[in-house]
Structure formats: C-alpha cells, structure tokens
C-alpha cells in the first residue's frame, strides 16, 4: 500500500514543484496611461511566449479583491461576466493574436472604470501578468465667466473704469488637482473643488479675480490647468471682454419751454448698462437713474439752445466715446395762458375766473364759453 501510493505522491510532488516554478517565473508588468472621459481606451496585453499558449484572462483588481471580466482565446471570447459594469468591454484579437490581445473599454467614464485591470496569459511554464492603471481626465462641460462691479456713474472728466470682480466656474472636470490660471487679473482667489452634480465623480472648480480694465487691458481669461493630455485651451478656458457702451441722446421740450425730456439709448456695453447719467453742457450732473428717460426743468426761455450729455454707466469709461451729446433749440409754441407778446413776456389783465386766457398777440381777454 505504501509502495502503491508512493509513485502518486512522487507525481504530486513533481506537480507542486511545477506550479511553484510557474508562479515563481510569472512577473507582473505595470502599464499606466492617461485618457479622457468618453474615449475608447485600449489595453494591449502581450505574452512573452506563445509556447503551448491557451488564453488570456482579464480581471478587475478592486482593492484587495479580483473580479473576473472575460477570457479570450483563439476562437474569440470564451466567457464573460454578466455584470452590467463590463458590458462596454470588448475584445480585439485582430492585432497579433496569440502574441497579444486587446481589451477595449468603450466610452470610458469616471464611475467604476479606473481599474487597475489585470491580464493573465495562460501558458505552460512561463508567463507575464500585466497590470493596467488608467488615469482619467475630463474637460469641463462648460465654463461660465461673469464680471461685475459696484457701478458708479462718472463725475466730470472721470475716465477711470471701476474695479471689477470676475468669477469663473469649470463645471464637471477631473481630476481634483486641477487649478485656475488667470490672465489679465491683478488678484486671484480659488476655492476647494466641490463634487459636481452635472456628472458623477467629477468636480466643479470656482475662482475669482479682480481687474480694473482700460483700453489696453480690456479682457480677463481663466484657464483650467493641470492636465497631462494636450487639450486645446479653447475647451478649458473662458474669456470676458470689457467694452464701453455706445450711446445716443435725443431730446424734446414741452410747449412752454419749461421742461426738457431726455432719452438715452445705449448699445454694445459689456457688462450691460445698469445706470444712466444725465448732465448739463458743463457736465454738471443733473440726475443718475436706472431709467432711459429723464425729465429736466429748464425754466421758460423761448429760442434758447440747450446742450445735454448722457452716459450709459457699466463701469467702463474710455474717454468721450462713452458720452453722448445733444444740442437743440427750444421754441415756445403759442403763449402760456394769460401771457402774450413776441416772447410771451407780457401778462394780460384778465379775470382768471371768467376768462380762459388772452390773445397771444394783443392780450385781448378770451371769455369762458
């Protein structure tokens, strides 16, 4: 009995030695690559021998556990996990099988697709396991930028722009280590990235900068940096361009030349006009209003020329182009009640209860009808 079993034990010892030898000579090669979210990522596994080659097995190494994905042989996929997570994992054997095979992750996403992934070639006596680490990066879905100031309409001769605070947000980007780089700004502040609600696993980045624009420095740009991939700057930057408003002023008068009606219309301002400043010819400010129309008292003087200015206030002032000017003569149409003469400077002597006024030429009283 002992002799009968001894050959079996001997064969078992040889088998154990063989497996020890296989495990001893199998090495692990680590490959890392950087890809963009949405790309088709190709992992190429290469066998260092084709002797007695059988198949390649792919697995997902999550933490300390290993999850089977699929097995591929000369006839294609021999088996595949039914886990929905791996449904976008496909095999390409057309590039050099059996020396190599490719696992393609289609439309890779941040969630649960970072690996690492292990490829194990099954060979007799020798083999190389490859461990693939995938580093994903994601360009922002959008990068809104806005600038605002505590707009104060300029006083006489003031051509200095306001101090603006600009904010920039990169929505749904990755990795978390990305940073803003500002151009044209004097001071910058960035906040800690927050988890994005736009795309699971990504981050929203927020930054602020201050700038006082002028006709040379008239824009500010925020650029998201820290990518390993060569990504076009247009896809990860936003620019805000400042521009003064171009205004026009129209005016009219009442019949008695006692009031002027001013209307200021402005286009092209960036940011948009928020206030209007109205002033006399000497730029003495008459009114600052959020309304485009303003009524101004001017007394009563027939034939007088009046000049007014208006400025559309958006915090940007580049000289006289920001101010509109209008000059017009006021002509009294007829005379006010109970006044007559060429300049309506004579008052008629009429009973205000029984008369409706007087003739504007000779002052004759006009009775109520």
């Amino acid at each position: 009995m002992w002799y009968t079993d001894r050959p079996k034990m001997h064969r078992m010892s040889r088998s154990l030695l063989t497996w020890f030898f296989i495990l001893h000579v199998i090495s692990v090669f680590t490959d890392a690559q950087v890809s963009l979210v949405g790309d088709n990522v190709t992992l190429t596994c290469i066998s260092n021998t084709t002797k007695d080659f059988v198949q390649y097995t792919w697995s997902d190494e999550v933490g300390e556990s290993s999850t089977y994905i699929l097995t591929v042989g000369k006839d294609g996929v021999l088996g595949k996990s039914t886990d929905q997570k791996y449904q976008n994992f496909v095999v390409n054997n057309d590039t050099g099988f059996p020396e190599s095979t490719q696992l393609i992750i289609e439309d890779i996403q941040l969630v649960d697709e970072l690996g690492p992934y292990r490829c194990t070639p099954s060979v007799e006596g020798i083999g190389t396991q490859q461990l693939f680490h995938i580093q994903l990066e994601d360009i922002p879905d959008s990068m809104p930028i806005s600038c605002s100031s505590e707009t104060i309409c300029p006083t006489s001769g003031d051509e200095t722009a306001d101090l603006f605070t600009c904010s920039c947000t990169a929505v749904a980007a990755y990795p978390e280590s990305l940073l803003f780089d500002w151009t044209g700004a004097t001071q910058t502040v960035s906040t800690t990235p927050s988890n994005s609600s736009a795309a699971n696993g990504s981050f929203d980045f927020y930054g602020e900068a201050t700038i006082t624009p002028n006709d040379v420095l008239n824009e500010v740009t925020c650029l998201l940096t820290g990518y390993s991939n060569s990504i076009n700057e247009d896809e990860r930057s936003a620019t805000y361009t400042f521009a003064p408003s171009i205004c026009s002023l129209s005016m009219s008068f009442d019949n008695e030349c006692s009031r002027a009606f001013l209307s200021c219309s402005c286009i092209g301002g960036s940011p948009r006009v928020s206030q209007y400043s109205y002033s006399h010819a000497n730029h003495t400010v008459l009114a600052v209003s959020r309304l485009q129309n303003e009524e101004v008292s001017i007394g009563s003087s027939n034939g007088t020329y009046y000049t007014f200015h208006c400025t559309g206030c958006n915090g940007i002032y580049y000289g006289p182009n920001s101010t509109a000017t209008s000059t017009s003569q006021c002509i009294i149409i007829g005379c006010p009640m109970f006044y007559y003469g060429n300049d309506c400077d004579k008052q008629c002597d009429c009973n205000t209860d029984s008369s409706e006024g007087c003739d504007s030429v000779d002052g004759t009283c006009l009775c109520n009808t």
Side-chain angles (χ1 to χ4, degrees):
M1 185 70 177
W2 183 81
Y3 292 100
T4 303
D5 292 337
R6 186 171 183 178
K8 185 184 294 185
M9 293 178 62
H10 181 66
R11 290 194 298 272
M12 184 179 297
S13 298
R14 290 183 60 187
S15 178
L16 288 173
L17 287 172
T18 300
W19 279 108
F20 175 78
F21 176 73
I22 293 174
L23 292 174
H24 179 70
V25 299
I26 287 179
S27 59
V28 177
F29 170 73
T30 300
D31 183 28
Q33 65 182 94
V34 180
S35 301
L36 287 176
V37 170
D39 285 351
N40 292 338
V41 176
T42 300
L43 310 179
T44 302
C45 185
I46 302 173
S47 174
N48 59 359
T49 180
T50 57
K51 179 182 178 181
D52 298 323
F53 179 83
V54 180
Q55 61 196 19
Y56 292 92
T57 299
W58 291 89
S59 58
D60 190 351
E61 307 298 310
V62 181
E64 297 181 357
S65 63
S66 179
T67 303
Y68 172 78
I69 300 176
L70 59 81
T71 301
V72 59
K74 63 180 181 179
D75 296 325
V77 176
L78 304 178
K80 184 177 181 180
S81 170
T82 58
D83 192 327
Q84 186 65 30
K85 173 183 175 180
Y86 305 116
Q87 295 311 297
N88 61 326
F89 288 55
V90 297
V91 168
N92 177 23
N93 273 355
D94 298 333
T95 58
F97 192 89
E99 288 83 2
S100 66
T101 188
Q102 292 181 331
L103 180 69
I104 302 174
I105 307 175
E106 298 178 332
D107 189 24
I108 192 167
Q109 300 298 315
L110 284 171
V111 182
D112 298 330
E113 293 188 0
L114 297 180
Y117 300 101
R118 186 183 297 274
C119 171
T120 306
S122 299
V123 296
E124 179 67 28
I126 189 170
T128 300
Q129 292 185 352
Q130 290 174 259
L131 195 62
F132 297 86
H133 295 267
I134 299 176
Q135 179 182 338
L136 281 184
E137 296 180 340
D138 196 6
I139 59 176
D141 287 353
S142 61
M143 285 192 65
I145 185 173
S146 62
C147 297
S148 62
S149 70
E150 295 294 331
T151 300
I152 301 175
C153 283
T155 58
S156 177
D158 188 356
E159 297 177 4
T160 303
D162 293 343
L163 176 66
F164 281 82
T165 298
C166 300
S167 62
C168 184
T169 304
V171 179
Y174 191 86
E176 191 177 2
S177 58
L178 300 175
L179 296 171
F180 277 127
D181 184 18
W182 291 84
T183 302
T186 53
Q187 296 181 2
T188 61
V189 176
S190 296
T191 60
T192 302
S194 59
N195 293 325
S196 179
S197 60
N200 195 8
S202 63
F203 297 91
D204 292 340
F205 298 81
Y206 179 82
E208 288 186 353
T210 56
I211 177 176
T212 302
N214 54 52
D215 54 356
V216 177
L217 184 64
N218 62 352
E219 66 180 24
V220 61
T221 299
C222 61
L223 173 68
L224 198 59
T225 64
Y227 288 100
S228 300
N229 284 287
S230 296
I231 302 173
N232 192 313
E233 289 191 3
D234 291 342
E235 298 183 85
R236 53 189 177 95
S237 66
T239 298
Y240 191 97
T241 301
F242 297 92
S245 58
I246 306 302
C247 301
S248 61
L249 176 64
S250 61
M251 71 167 71
S252 61
F253 304 94
D254 64 0
N255 291 339
E256 301 173 5
C257 283
S258 62
R259 307 192 69 79
F261 304 99
L262 309 178
S263 179
C264 192
S265 177
C266 301
I267 60 173
S270 178
R272 295 178 61 183
V273 167
S274 60
Q275 293 179 348
Y276 301 88
S277 175
Y278 298 90
S279 59
H280 276 304
N282 61 0
H283 291 280
T284 301
V285 175
L286 295 169
V288 174
S289 172
R290 293 187 178 275
L291 302 177
Q292 290 183 260
N293 301 310
E294 187 67 25
E295 185 177 323
V296 179
S297 176
I298 58 174
S300 180
S301 181
N302 189 34
T304 302
Y305 284 87
Y306 294 92
T307 298
F308 294 98
H309 307 287
C310 81
T311 299
C313 307
N314 68 340
I316 311 297
Y317 317 113
Y318 297 161
N321 288 337
S322 298
T323 300
T325 302
S326 180
T327 299
S328 185
Q329 183 184 29
C330 184
I331 302 296
I332 296 177
I333 302 175
C335 291
M337 293 176 61
F338 302 107
Y339 286 88
Y340 69 101
N342 291 334
D343 293 327
C344 297
D345 55 350
K346 299 178 181 180
Q347 188 171 8
C348 50
D349 186 15
C350 300
N351 189 309
T352 57
D353 293 329
S354 59
S355 301
E356 61 179 18
C358 62
D359 185 276
S360 61
V361 176
D362 57 15
T364 302
C365 296
L366 303 175
C367 297
N368 287 327
T369 57

